[in-house]
Amino acid sequence: MKRLLSLAAFAAFFLAGSAQAQIFGNSAEVRQQITDLRQETQGQLETVKNAQFELSNQVEVMRTENARLRGQVEVLQNEIESLKNRQRDFYIDLDNRMRQLETQNSASTQADNVSSTSGNSYEAALGLLKEGRAAEALTRLEAYINDNPDSDNLPEAHFWAGTASLQTKNVSAANKYFNTVLTRWPKSAIAPDAMLGLANGQLAVNDRRNAQKTLQSLISRYPSSNAAKTAKQHLSSSSR
Protein backbone atom coordinates (compact mmCIF):
# COMPACT_ATOMS: atom_id res chain seq x y z
CA MET A 1 0.00 0.00 0.00
CA LYS A 2 2.77 2.39 0.97
CA ARG A 3 4.55 1.44 -2.20
CA LEU A 4 1.51 2.29 -4.29
CA LEU A 5 1.24 5.69 -2.63
CA SER A 6 4.89 6.36 -3.33
CA LEU A 7 4.47 5.50 -6.99
CA ALA A 8 1.39 7.72 -7.25
CA ALA A 9 3.22 10.64 -5.64
CA PHE A 10 6.16 10.19 -8.00
CA ALA A 11 3.87 10.08 -11.00
CA ALA A 12 2.09 13.23 -9.87
CA PHE A 13 5.37 15.04 -9.34
CA PHE A 14 6.61 13.95 -12.79
CA LEU A 15 3.43 15.06 -14.51
CA ALA A 16 3.47 18.40 -12.71
CA GLY A 17 7.06 19.06 -13.76
CA SER A 18 6.29 18.14 -17.36
CA ALA A 19 3.25 20.44 -17.44
CA GLN A 20 5.25 23.30 -15.91
CA ALA A 21 8.01 22.88 -18.51
CA GLN A 22 5.38 22.87 -21.26
CA ILE A 23 3.82 26.07 -19.88
CA PHE A 24 7.18 27.83 -19.59
CA GLY A 25 8.09 26.71 -23.07
CA ASN A 26 4.81 28.06 -24.50
CA SER A 27 5.28 31.35 -22.61
CA ALA A 28 8.70 31.93 -24.20
CA GLU A 29 7.28 31.28 -27.64
CA VAL A 30 4.38 33.66 -27.01
CA ARG A 31 6.79 36.33 -25.76
CA GLN A 32 8.86 35.93 -28.92
CA GLN A 33 5.74 36.22 -31.07
CA ILE A 34 4.73 39.37 -29.20
CA THR A 35 8.22 40.81 -29.65
CA ASP A 36 8.14 39.98 -33.36
CA LEU A 37 4.70 41.55 -33.69
CA ARG A 38 5.85 44.69 -31.92
CA GLN A 39 8.86 44.99 -34.19
CA GLU A 40 6.72 44.44 -37.27
CA THR A 41 4.17 47.02 -36.08
CA GLN A 42 6.93 49.51 -35.29
CA GLY A 43 8.36 49.01 -38.75
CA GLN A 44 4.96 49.59 -40.34
CA LEU A 45 4.49 52.75 -38.25
CA GLU A 46 7.90 54.04 -39.37
CA THR A 47 6.96 53.33 -42.98
CA VAL A 48 3.68 55.23 -42.56
CA LYS A 49 5.47 58.16 -40.90
CA ASN A 50 8.02 58.33 -43.71
CA ALA A 51 5.25 58.18 -46.31
CA GLN A 52 3.38 61.01 -44.53
CA PHE A 53 6.55 63.10 -44.37
CA GLU A 54 7.26 62.53 -48.05
CA LEU A 55 3.66 63.38 -48.94
CA SER A 56 3.86 66.56 -46.86
CA ASN A 57 7.03 67.56 -48.71
CA GLN A 58 5.38 66.91 -52.07
CA VAL A 59 2.37 69.01 -51.07
CA GLU A 60 4.65 71.87 -50.03
CA VAL A 61 6.57 71.64 -53.31
CA MET A 62 3.28 71.77 -55.22
CA ARG A 63 2.15 74.80 -53.24
CA THR A 64 5.42 76.59 -53.96
CA GLU A 65 5.20 75.69 -57.66
CA ASN A 66 1.59 76.90 -57.85
CA ALA A 67 2.58 80.19 -56.23
CA ARG A 68 5.42 80.57 -58.75
CA LEU A 69 3.11 79.83 -61.67
CA ARG A 70 0.55 82.32 -60.39
CA GLY A 71 3.29 84.92 -60.23
CA GLN A 72 4.33 84.17 -63.81
CA VAL A 73 0.72 84.42 -64.98
CA GLU A 74 0.38 87.82 -63.32
CA VAL A 75 3.60 89.03 -64.97
CA LEU A 76 2.43 87.78 -68.38
CA GLN A 77 -0.96 89.44 -67.91
CA ASN A 78 0.78 92.72 -67.06
CA GLU A 79 3.02 92.41 -70.11
CA ILE A 80 0.04 91.65 -72.35
CA GLU A 81 -1.80 94.67 -70.98
CA SER A 82 1.30 96.81 -71.50
CA LEU A 83 1.62 95.58 -75.09
CA LYS A 84 -2.04 96.39 -75.70
CA ASN A 85 -1.52 99.89 -74.36
CA ARG A 86 1.59 100.42 -76.47
CA GLN A 87 -0.20 99.12 -79.55
CA ARG A 88 -3.14 101.46 -78.88
CA ASP A 89 -0.79 104.41 -78.36
CA PHE A 90 1.05 103.48 -81.54
CA TYR A 91 -2.07 103.68 -83.70
CA ILE A 92 -3.29 106.84 -81.98
CA ASP A 93 0.07 108.50 -82.62
CA LEU A 94 0.13 107.23 -86.19
CA ASP A 95 -3.34 108.63 -86.80
CA ASN A 96 -2.32 112.02 -85.37
CA ARG A 97 0.77 112.16 -87.56
CA MET A 98 -1.28 111.27 -90.63
CA ARG A 99 -3.68 114.11 -89.87
CA GLN A 100 -0.73 116.50 -89.58
CA LEU A 101 0.57 115.32 -92.94
CA GLU A 102 -2.82 115.79 -94.52
CA THR A 103 -2.94 119.34 -93.18
CA GLN A 104 0.54 120.08 -94.45
CA ASN A 105 -0.25 118.65 -97.88
CA SER A 106 -3.46 120.62 -98.19
CA ALA A 107 -1.56 123.81 -97.33
CA SER A 108 1.25 123.20 -99.86
CA THR A 109 1.25 125.23 -103.09
CA GLN A 110 1.07 124.00 -106.67
CA ALA A 111 4.71 125.07 -107.19
CA ASP A 112 5.91 122.38 -104.81
CA ASN A 113 4.82 119.49 -107.02
CA VAL A 114 7.99 117.43 -106.53
CA SER A 115 7.94 117.89 -102.79
CA SER A 116 4.22 117.19 -102.73
CA THR A 117 4.70 113.95 -104.66
CA SER A 118 7.33 112.73 -102.22
CA GLY A 119 5.09 113.81 -99.34
CA ASN A 120 2.22 111.79 -100.80
CA SER A 121 4.56 108.80 -101.06
CA TYR A 122 5.43 109.19 -97.40
CA GLU A 123 1.77 109.58 -96.47
CA ALA A 124 0.88 106.50 -98.52
CA ALA A 125 3.50 104.49 -96.66
CA LEU A 126 2.01 105.55 -93.32
CA GLY A 127 -1.43 104.66 -94.61
CA LEU A 128 -0.24 101.15 -95.41
CA LEU A 129 1.29 100.87 -91.96
CA LYS A 130 -1.95 101.97 -90.35
CA GLU A 131 -3.81 99.28 -92.30
CA GLY A 132 -1.45 96.65 -90.90
CA ARG A 133 0.39 96.15 -94.21
CA ALA A 134 3.78 96.57 -92.59
CA ALA A 135 5.87 94.85 -95.28
CA GLU A 136 4.45 97.06 -98.04
CA ALA A 137 4.82 100.15 -95.85
CA LEU A 138 8.46 99.29 -95.20
CA THR A 139 9.17 99.01 -98.92
CA ARG A 140 7.59 102.44 -99.52
CA LEU A 141 9.47 104.00 -96.61
CA GLU A 142 12.82 102.59 -97.73
CA ALA A 143 12.21 103.97 -101.22
CA TYR A 144 11.26 107.34 -99.75
CA ILE A 145 14.44 107.44 -97.63
CA ASN A 146 16.64 106.59 -100.63
CA ASP A 147 14.91 109.04 -102.98
CA ASN A 148 14.72 111.97 -100.55
CA PRO A 149 18.01 112.25 -98.65
CA ASP A 150 17.36 115.93 -97.80
CA SER A 151 13.72 115.59 -96.75
CA ASP A 152 12.60 117.20 -93.51
CA ASN A 153 10.61 114.03 -92.87
CA LEU A 154 13.72 111.85 -92.86
CA PRO A 155 13.88 111.33 -89.05
CA GLU A 156 10.21 110.33 -89.00
CA ALA A 157 10.67 108.12 -92.06
CA HIS A 158 13.46 106.23 -90.31
CA PHE A 159 11.35 105.89 -87.18
CA TRP A 160 8.36 104.49 -89.08
CA ALA A 161 10.65 102.21 -91.08
CA GLY A 162 11.93 100.87 -87.76
CA THR A 163 8.35 100.45 -86.54
CA ALA A 164 7.38 98.63 -89.73
CA SER A 165 10.42 96.37 -89.32
CA LEU A 166 9.28 95.51 -85.81
CA GLN A 167 5.83 94.69 -87.15
CA THR A 168 7.43 92.25 -89.60
CA LYS A 169 9.58 90.81 -86.76
CA ASN A 170 12.82 92.02 -88.35
CA VAL A 171 14.33 93.28 -85.11
CA SER A 172 17.81 93.78 -86.56
CA ALA A 173 16.51 96.15 -89.25
CA ALA A 174 14.32 97.93 -86.69
CA ASN A 175 17.30 98.55 -84.41
CA LYS A 176 19.25 99.96 -87.36
CA TYR A 177 16.56 102.52 -88.17
CA PHE A 178 15.98 103.50 -84.55
CA ASN A 179 19.71 103.90 -83.88
CA THR A 180 20.03 106.03 -87.02
CA VAL A 181 17.45 108.42 -85.60
CA LEU A 182 19.26 108.58 -82.26
CA THR A 183 22.65 109.08 -83.90
CA ARG A 184 21.76 111.59 -86.63
CA TRP A 185 18.84 113.43 -85.06
CA PRO A 186 19.13 113.06 -81.25
CA LYS A 187 17.24 116.35 -80.71
CA SER A 188 14.40 115.45 -83.04
CA ALA A 189 10.94 115.23 -81.55
CA ILE A 190 10.81 111.63 -82.76
CA ALA A 191 14.07 110.62 -80.99
CA PRO A 192 12.37 109.58 -77.69
CA ASP A 193 9.96 107.39 -79.66
CA ALA A 194 12.91 105.84 -81.50
CA MET A 195 14.54 104.97 -78.18
CA LEU A 196 11.28 103.44 -77.00
CA GLY A 197 11.13 101.46 -80.24
CA LEU A 198 14.67 100.25 -79.58
CA ALA A 199 13.60 99.00 -76.15
CA ASN A 200 10.59 97.26 -77.71
CA GLY A 201 12.92 95.53 -80.14
CA GLN A 202 15.10 94.33 -77.27
CA LEU A 203 12.03 93.02 -75.47
CA ALA A 204 10.94 91.24 -78.65
CA VAL A 205 14.10 89.09 -78.47
CA ASN A 206 13.75 88.71 -74.67
CA ASP A 207 16.78 90.93 -73.96
CA ARG A 208 15.20 92.31 -70.80
CA ARG A 209 18.40 93.60 -69.22
CA ASN A 210 19.31 95.88 -72.12
CA ALA A 211 15.67 96.84 -72.58
CA GLN A 212 15.57 98.12 -69.00
CA LYS A 213 18.81 100.03 -69.55
CA THR A 214 17.37 101.60 -72.70
CA LEU A 215 14.16 102.59 -70.92
CA GLN A 216 16.13 104.11 -68.04
CA SER A 217 18.32 105.99 -70.50
CA LEU A 218 15.19 107.22 -72.29
CA ILE A 219 13.80 108.61 -69.03
CA SER A 220 17.14 110.30 -68.29
CA ARG A 221 17.63 111.84 -71.76
CA TYR A 222 14.04 112.80 -72.55
CA PRO A 223 12.32 113.11 -69.14
CA SER A 224 9.40 115.25 -70.32
CA SER A 225 8.51 113.17 -73.39
CA ASN A 226 5.46 110.95 -73.73
CA ALA A 227 7.83 108.09 -74.51
CA ALA A 228 9.46 108.60 -71.10
CA LYS A 229 6.05 108.29 -69.44
CA THR A 230 5.48 105.01 -71.26
CA ALA A 231 8.96 103.86 -70.22
CA LYS A 232 8.20 104.60 -66.57
CA GLN A 233 4.95 102.65 -66.77
CA HIS A 234 6.71 99.67 -68.30
CA LEU A 235 9.50 99.69 -65.71
CA SER A 236 6.93 99.95 -62.96
CA SER A 237 4.87 97.02 -64.25
CA SER A 238 7.95 94.81 -64.82
CA SER A 239 9.20 95.40 -61.27
CA ARG A 240 6.03 94.03 -59.63
Side-chain angles (χ1 to χ4, degrees), residues 18-232:
S18 177
Q20 186 177 16
Q22 186 175 3
I23 290 173
F24 284 137
N26 290 340
S27 297
E29 184 178 350
V30 168
R31 282 197 298 270
Q32 184 60 44
Q33 290 177 352
I34 291 174
T35 300
D36 293 343
L37 181 60
R38 283 177 179 172
Q39 291 177 348
E40 182 180 354
T41 303
Q42 187 65 29
Q44 291 177 349
L45 288 174
E46 289 296 327
T47 301
V48 170
K49 287 181 181 179
N50 291 335
Q52 288 177 337
F53 181 75
E54 182 66 24
L55 181 60
S56 178
N57 286 340
Q58 291 178 358
V59 170
E60 187 61 30
V61 169
M62 291 178 65
R63 286 176 180 171
T64 303
E65 182 66 13
N66 286 338
R68 185 183 68 82
L69 290 174
R70 283 197 300 268
Q72 287 184 344
V73 169
E74 290 178 0
V75 170
L76 288 173
Q77 287 175 339
N78 289 335
E79 289 186 354
I80 290 171
E81 189 63 28
S82 179
L83 285 172
K84 287 181 179 178
N85 290 336
R86 289 203 299 272
Q87 191 77 356
R88 180 200 61 201
D89 293 340
F90 164 76
Y91 284 112
I92 290 175
D93 184 55
L94 179 57
D95 187 64
N96 290 336
R97 292 175 187 273
M98 293 239 0
R99 292 179 186 276
Q100 291 176 1
L101 281 172
E102 290 171 358
T103 302
Q104 292 173 1
N105 287 338
S106 63
S108 60
T109 61
Q110 190 68 28
D112 295 327
N113 286 334
V114 174
S115 175
S116 177
T117 301
S118 63
N120 286 333
S121 175
Y122 176 53
E123 183 178 349
L126 294 186
L128 290 170
L129 188 59
K130 186 177 179 180
E131 293 172 5
R133 299 159 66 183
E136 297 175 60
L138 180 59
T139 300
R140 293 284 190 95
L141 287 166
E142 288 174 338
Y144 177 81
I145 291 170
N146 291 330
D147 295 340
N148 301 276
D150 299 321
S151 170
D152 292 336
N153 291 327
L154 216 54
E156 287 81 2
H158 277 80
F159 168 76
W160 292 116
T163 301
S165 297
L166 271 186
Q167 296 287 321
T168 60
K169 302 186 184 305
N170 190 342
V171 178
S172 178
N175 291 342
K176 181 190 72 172
Y177 285 115
F178 292 140
N179 279 318
T180 298
V181 174
L182 295 171
T183 301
R184 294 180 59 181
W185 306 283
K187 295 183 179 180
S188 169
I190 203 68
D193 298 304
M195 186 168 281
L196 183 61
L198 187 62
N200 288 335
Q202 291 164 336
L203 286 172
V205 294
N206 206 28
D207 188 1
R208 296 180 179 276
R209 179 180 299 177
N210 283 325
Q212 287 188 342
K213 290 181 180 179
T214 301
L215 292 171
Q216 290 167 350
S217 179
L218 165 58
I219 295 169
S220 176
R221 289 176 62 177
Y222 308 103
S224 59
S225 65
N226 290 329
K229 294 178 182 178
T230 303
K232 290 178 182 177

